[in-house]
PDB file of all heavy atoms in Angstrom:
ATOM      1  N   GLY A  22       4.204  13.987   2.567  1.00  0.00           N
ATOM      2  CA  GLY A  22       5.180  12.939   2.340  1.00  0.00           C
ATOM      3  C   GLY A  22       4.586  11.666   1.791  1.00  0.00           C
ATOM      4  O   GLY A  22       3.401  11.599   1.456  1.00  0.00           O
ATOM      5  N   ASN A  23       5.429  10.664   1.708  1.00  0.00           N
ATOM      6  CA  ASN A  23       5.070   9.370   1.143  1.00  0.00           C
ATOM      7  C   ASN A  23       5.146   8.293   2.217  1.00  0.00           C
ATOM      8  O   ASN A  23       6.131   8.217   2.959  1.00  0.00           O
ATOM      9  CB  ASN A  23       6.021   9.011  -0.002  1.00  0.00           C
ATOM     10  CG  ASN A  23       6.012  10.081  -1.072  1.00  0.00           C
ATOM     11  OD1 ASN A  23       4.966  10.418  -1.607  1.00  0.00           O
ATOM     12  ND2 ASN A  23       7.177  10.639  -1.364  1.00  0.00           N
ATOM     13  N   VAL A  24       4.124   7.460   2.273  1.00  0.00           N
ATOM     14  CA  VAL A  24       4.049   6.385   3.240  1.00  0.00           C
ATOM     15  C   VAL A  24       3.832   5.073   2.476  1.00  0.00           C
ATOM     16  O   VAL A  24       2.968   4.996   1.611  1.00  0.00           O
ATOM     17  CB  VAL A  24       2.886   6.613   4.237  1.00  0.00           C
ATOM     18  CG1 VAL A  24       2.798   5.474   5.235  1.00  0.00           C
ATOM     19  CG2 VAL A  24       3.038   7.959   4.948  1.00  0.00           C
ATOM     20  N   ALA A  25       4.627   4.062   2.820  1.00  0.00           N
ATOM     21  CA  ALA A  25       4.495   2.744   2.189  1.00  0.00           C
ATOM     22  C   ALA A  25       4.316   1.692   3.283  1.00  0.00           C
ATOM     23  O   ALA A  25       5.080   1.676   4.251  1.00  0.00           O
ATOM     24  CB  ALA A  25       5.731   2.430   1.356  1.00  0.00           C
ATOM     25  N   ILE A  26       3.303   0.856   3.127  1.00  0.00           N
ATOM     26  CA  ILE A  26       3.084  -0.253   4.053  1.00  0.00           C
ATOM     27  C   ILE A  26       3.290  -1.537   3.261  1.00  0.00           C
ATOM     28  O   ILE A  26       2.641  -1.752   2.240  1.00  0.00           O
ATOM     29  CB  ILE A  26       1.662  -0.210   4.654  1.00  0.00           C
ATOM     30  CG1 ILE A  26       1.460   1.099   5.412  1.00  0.00           C
ATOM     31  CG2 ILE A  26       1.443  -1.412   5.560  1.00  0.00           C
ATOM     32  CD1 ILE A  26       0.041   1.330   5.880  1.00  0.00           C
ATOM     33  N   ARG A  27       4.235  -2.358   3.751  1.00  0.00           N
ATOM     34  CA  ARG A  27       4.563  -3.576   3.024  1.00  0.00           C
ATOM     35  C   ARG A  27       5.262  -4.550   3.969  1.00  0.00           C
ATOM     36  O   ARG A  27       6.175  -4.162   4.702  1.00  0.00           O
ATOM     37  CB  ARG A  27       5.492  -3.224   1.863  1.00  0.00           C
ATOM     38  CG  ARG A  27       5.970  -4.365   1.048  1.00  0.00           C
ATOM     39  CD  ARG A  27       6.940  -3.959  -0.074  1.00  0.00           C
ATOM     40  NE  ARG A  27       7.510  -2.656   0.137  1.00  0.00           N
ATOM     41  CZ  ARG A  27       7.531  -1.685  -0.784  1.00  0.00           C
ATOM     42  NH1 ARG A  27       7.043  -1.865  -1.967  1.00  0.00           N
ATOM     43  NH2 ARG A  27       8.048  -0.517  -0.523  1.00  0.00           N
ATOM     44  N   ASP A  28       4.830  -5.785   3.955  1.00  0.00           N
ATOM     45  CA  ASP A  28       5.505  -6.863   4.668  1.00  0.00           C
ATOM     46  C   ASP A  28       5.817  -6.494   6.121  1.00  0.00           C
ATOM     47  O   ASP A  28       6.968  -6.542   6.549  1.00  0.00           O
ATOM     48  CB  ASP A  28       6.787  -7.252   3.919  1.00  0.00           C
ATOM     49  CG  ASP A  28       7.371  -8.561   4.416  1.00  0.00           C
ATOM     50  OD1 ASP A  28       6.597  -9.406   4.917  1.00  0.00           O
ATOM     51  OD2 ASP A  28       8.601  -8.716   4.331  1.00  0.00           O
ATOM     52  N   GLN A  29       4.815  -6.104   6.877  1.00  0.00           N
ATOM     53  CA  GLN A  29       4.928  -5.759   8.295  1.00  0.00           C
ATOM     54  C   GLN A  29       5.872  -4.598   8.566  1.00  0.00           C
ATOM     55  O   GLN A  29       6.517  -4.520   9.613  1.00  0.00           O
ATOM     56  CB  GLN A  29       5.353  -6.983   9.107  1.00  0.00           C
ATOM     57  CG  GLN A  29       4.339  -8.108   9.051  1.00  0.00           C
ATOM     58  CD  GLN A  29       4.805  -9.326   9.801  1.00  0.00           C
ATOM     59  OE1 GLN A  29       5.875  -9.864   9.525  1.00  0.00           O
ATOM     60  NE2 GLN A  29       3.998  -9.761  10.752  1.00  0.00           N
ATOM     61  N   SER A  30       5.959  -3.670   7.613  1.00  0.00           N
ATOM     62  CA  SER A  30       6.792  -2.483   7.831  1.00  0.00           C
ATOM     63  C   SER A  30       6.099  -1.246   7.288  1.00  0.00           C
ATOM     64  O   SER A  30       5.254  -1.317   6.393  1.00  0.00           O
ATOM     65  CB  SER A  30       8.168  -2.656   7.190  1.00  0.00           C
ATOM     66  OG  SER A  30       8.061  -2.705   5.793  1.00  0.00           O
ATOM     67  N   LEU A  31       6.448  -0.125   7.862  1.00  0.00           N
ATOM     68  CA  LEU A  31       5.928   1.175   7.463  1.00  0.00           C
ATOM     69  C   LEU A  31       7.118   2.028   7.052  1.00  0.00           C
ATOM     70  O   LEU A  31       7.996   2.308   7.877  1.00  0.00           O
ATOM     71  CB  LEU A  31       5.187   1.823   8.640  1.00  0.00           C
ATOM     72  CG  LEU A  31       4.675   3.231   8.431  1.00  0.00           C
ATOM     73  CD1 LEU A  31       3.457   3.199   7.510  1.00  0.00           C
ATOM     74  CD2 LEU A  31       4.304   3.856   9.767  1.00  0.00           C
ATOM     75  N   GLY A  32       7.165   2.394   5.778  1.00  0.00           N
ATOM     76  CA  GLY A  32       8.245   3.231   5.282  1.00  0.00           C
ATOM     77  C   GLY A  32       7.782   4.667   5.167  1.00  0.00           C
ATOM     78  O   GLY A  32       6.665   4.940   4.717  1.00  0.00           O
ATOM     79  N   LEU A  33       8.626   5.592   5.570  1.00  0.00           N
ATOM     80  CA  LEU A  33       8.334   7.020   5.508  1.00  0.00           C
ATOM     81  C   LEU A  33       9.393   7.676   4.636  1.00  0.00           C
ATOM     82  O   LEU A  33      10.587   7.564   4.927  1.00  0.00           O
ATOM     83  CB  LEU A  33       8.355   7.632   6.911  1.00  0.00           C
ATOM     84  CG  LEU A  33       7.442   6.964   7.934  1.00  0.00           C
ATOM     85  CD1 LEU A  33       7.736   7.476   9.338  1.00  0.00           C
ATOM     86  CD2 LEU A  33       5.990   7.202   7.570  1.00  0.00           C
ATOM     87  N   ASN A  34       8.957   8.357   3.582  1.00  0.00           N
ATOM     88  CA  ASN A  34       9.902   8.985   2.660  1.00  0.00           C
ATOM     89  C   ASN A  34       9.506  10.420   2.394  1.00  0.00           C
ATOM     90  O   ASN A  34       8.336  10.711   2.150  1.00  0.00           O
ATOM     91  CB  ASN A  34       9.947   8.218   1.333  1.00  0.00           C
ATOM     92  CG  ASN A  34      10.475   6.815   1.519  1.00  0.00           C
ATOM     93  OD1 ASN A  34      11.598   6.627   1.980  1.00  0.00           O
ATOM     94  ND2 ASN A  34       9.667   5.831   1.200  1.00  0.00           N
TER      95      ASN A  34
END
Side-chain angles (χ1 to χ4, degrees):
N23 303 304
V24 179
I26 300 172
R27 178 182 18 230
D28 193 27
Q29 297 177 304
S30 67
L31 175 74
L33 305 169
N34 296 301

